Amino acid sequence: MTRQFDAHVSPVRYGGWSKDRQGWFLGLGGGSWIAILLGGLPLLIAAGARQWLAALGWLPAWAVLIVLVAVPVRGRSAFRWAIDSLLRCMGVVMRWTDWQSKAAAGAVERFDEADLPGVLSGVRTHDEPPFGPLLARPAIVADNRERTWAVVARITHPGIGLSEVLARTRMGNGLSELLDGAATAELVSVIALQIRTVPDDGAERSAWLQANLRKDAPNLALAVNAELAQLMTQAGVRHEAFVTVVVPEGRIAKQAKEAGGGVDGRARVLYGVMGGIEARLMGPVGCTSVAWLDSPALAAAIRTGFAPGDRAGLTAADIVAQSDPHVAATLPMAAAGPTSTPNPERRYYAHDAWHSATCTILLPDKGAVMGALAPVFTPTTAGQRRSVTVFFEPISHDKADRMVGAESMSSDLAAEIRRKSGFKVRASHRRDAAKVEGQDVRLADGNAFVRVGIAAAVTVPDTLSITDFGRRLESDITGSGFKPLRLDLAQDSGFAAACIPLEIGLPKRRGSK
């Protein structure tokens, strides 16, 4: 018996997400309502004492407080904008944001210790016992500020550009299985998938030509080959993909103690997590290779994140070292970061001879098909790099149950108030209520909930206009059906989240799950 499939299968549209934090009433949380009510107390006291002039005098101040707390401006309230602007000005005046590496100052004490700016300053790496059949020594990344442990893998995937709809659906289901497994184990807090689209530097081709080019070739053939190589290198791009698995100290401490304690005990627990993640990446997700990075490879990934142009030199040194053992091809962790970063601008981040602009991507209410963000990954001109990182944060079943219960209560309360007040129930209200009901059904069926955040960045040399390329990035995000949100006043943190494959993620103020 044969089974026939329709050749014109429509692609699956993924949706059903909602805001990460629903407002308790009218879109506002408890803290906002407390601030508004406390601000209105002087008005009520004055009105109760029949001091009408004082009440009228306080009314404009209370209205300004309501606007500052309740009205969002590009993702943040006006009160939050004021606080962030004040903190940034304080950091610039105190020179906290002006950073220079120890390597540039000639003050390196330990070459295996990471020296990174900003939110990455608390990162430390450890080389731990061998892992896997090849006895690799993956680097364990410890963030002393956030109290987390992480490992990073470089993956190879054939992509979905030429895949059929059924194959894409199978890969999407494989990713869902991976996240379900992480949520069930309740050990992994974040799985970050980062994809960089970098200009092709031609390092591998140059090495191949040096080894295979015939000296007696005709001059015309050599000239044509050199011209074609130059044109193709300028137009070519390559993709780099990384997966970062983050485990908090609070979840791993007990198991690490049973495994021997210390960094070695935590490494043994992480090795078990890595085995499960690798099996699902190589199986349902469709990856062809998964390589967990050791310290030199992780240092190279961090360095090329800050300076994309350094990849050619690192690749050439690695190729030469294969035939000449006297060549130092590995990059020490102390030299992985930039040499200096001046005070971050409001809308972009300057690092060495490069400028980067970072946006977060808000998920659309109508949903999206797999591959909708393809224009965001594609550079518009030669010389620029695009980098996109997707953060998946599995939510435990108990926490998801509390969140869905609160959202259901808020939805029912809002619907009852609208009904008793005589307001019309609009289509958006019915859609939001249906989303809450659908989440409750999926949760009851045993599906895991995942918090999702996306950060996208464009990096260009400082000789080009980062304002123009940042505008192009936002245009590509909008054209893909999503909404961009520039991380003003936080471009340094946004760059670390979008371009550096470490455990640094986006703040948990807003998002979708």
Side-chain angles (χ1 to χ4, degrees), residues 178-189:
L178 188 151
L179 298 176
D180 282 339
T184 303
E186 296 186 357
L187 191 63
V188 176
S189 63

Side-chain angles (χ1 to χ4, degrees), residues 56-281:
L56 291 176
W58 183 254
L59 185 59
W62 190 35
V64 171
L65 176 64
I66 294 175
V67 171
L68 291 176
V69 174
V71 178
V73 180
R74 293 187 60 84
R76 281 176 271 186
S77 64
F79 181 71
R80 174 59 64 179
W81 275 108
I83 293 179
D84 292 344
S85 300
L86 179 61
L87 292 177
R88 178 180 179 274
C89 293
M90 184 182 301
V92 172
V93 172
M94 301 297 294
R95 300 186 65 84
W96 293 338
T97 56
D98 192 5
W99 183 86
Q100 184 183 31
S101 68
K102 296 180 181 178
V108 177
E109 298 178 357
R110 294 183 55 184
F111 286 92
D112 59 344
E113 182 175 323
D115 181 26
L116 301 174
V119 294
L120 300 172
S121 60
V123 170
R124 296 294 180 267
T125 59
H126 306 274
D127 294 323
E128 291 311 312
F131 166 76
L134 299 180
L135 300 180
R137 295 172 61 88
I140 306 299
V141 182
D143 189 348
N144 298 327
R145 299 175 59 182
E146 299 293 333
R147 293 179 56 82
T148 59
W149 302 84
V151 285
V152 184
R154 183 190 296 272
I155 64 174
T156 304
H157 194 278
I160 63 174
L162 299 178
S163 301
E164 299 292 338
V165 175
L166 295 178
R168 296 188 182 190
T169 304
R170 185 174 63 252
M171 295 177 188
N173 294 335
L175 179 60
S176 299
E177 294 177 7
L178 188 151
L179 298 176
D180 282 339
T184 303
E186 296 186 357
L187 191 63
V188 176
S189 63
V190 175
I191 297 178
L193 172 62
Q194 182 176 118
I195 300 177
R196 300 178 186 164
T197 306
V198 297
D200 189 6
D201 48 40
E204 289 86 352
R205 177 178 174 81
S206 299
W208 186 88
L209 287 177
Q210 292 180 3
N212 296 275
L213 191 65
R214 295 180 55 179
K215 303 299 182 181
D216 56 346
N219 293 331
L220 180 59
L222 294 175
V224 171
N225 184 66
E227 184 176 356
L228 289 175
Q230 182 179 4
L231 293 175
M232 294 182 65
T233 300
Q234 292 178 354
V237 295
R238 64 174 58 248
H239 299 282
E240 299 175 343
F242 302 92
V243 170
T244 304
V245 182
V246 184
V247 178
E249 171 65 19
R251 301 184 186 181
I252 200 177
K254 183 177 180 180
Q255 298 186 27
K257 185 177 181 180
E258 297 173 353
V263 180
D264 289 348
R266 286 157 177 80
R268 294 186 182 96
V269 177
L270 285 173
Y271 287 172
V273 176
M274 293 158 56
I277 296 293
E278 182 175 349
R280 287 185 170 89
L281 288 174

Side-chain angles (χ1 to χ4, degrees), residues 414-462:
E416 187 67 18
I417 291 176
R418 281 192 293 266
R419 185 183 66 82
K420 290 186 176 181
S421 302
F423 291 101
K424 181 181 179 181
V425 179
R426 304 187 61 185
S428 60
H429 300 151
R430 294 192 295 269
R431 180 200 61 194
D432 295 340
K435 283 185 178 180
V436 175
E437 181 65 23
Q439 290 175 356
D440 197 8
V441 172
R442 288 192 294 270
L443 182 63
D445 292 339
N447 295 323
F449 277 25
V450 179
R451 181 178 289 111
V452 180
I454 308 176
V458 57
T459 302
V460 296
D462 58 2

Side-chain angles (χ1 to χ4, degrees), residues 44-55:
L44 296 177
I45 294 173
R50 297 182 181 277
Q51 297 178 1
W52 305 113
L53 292 179

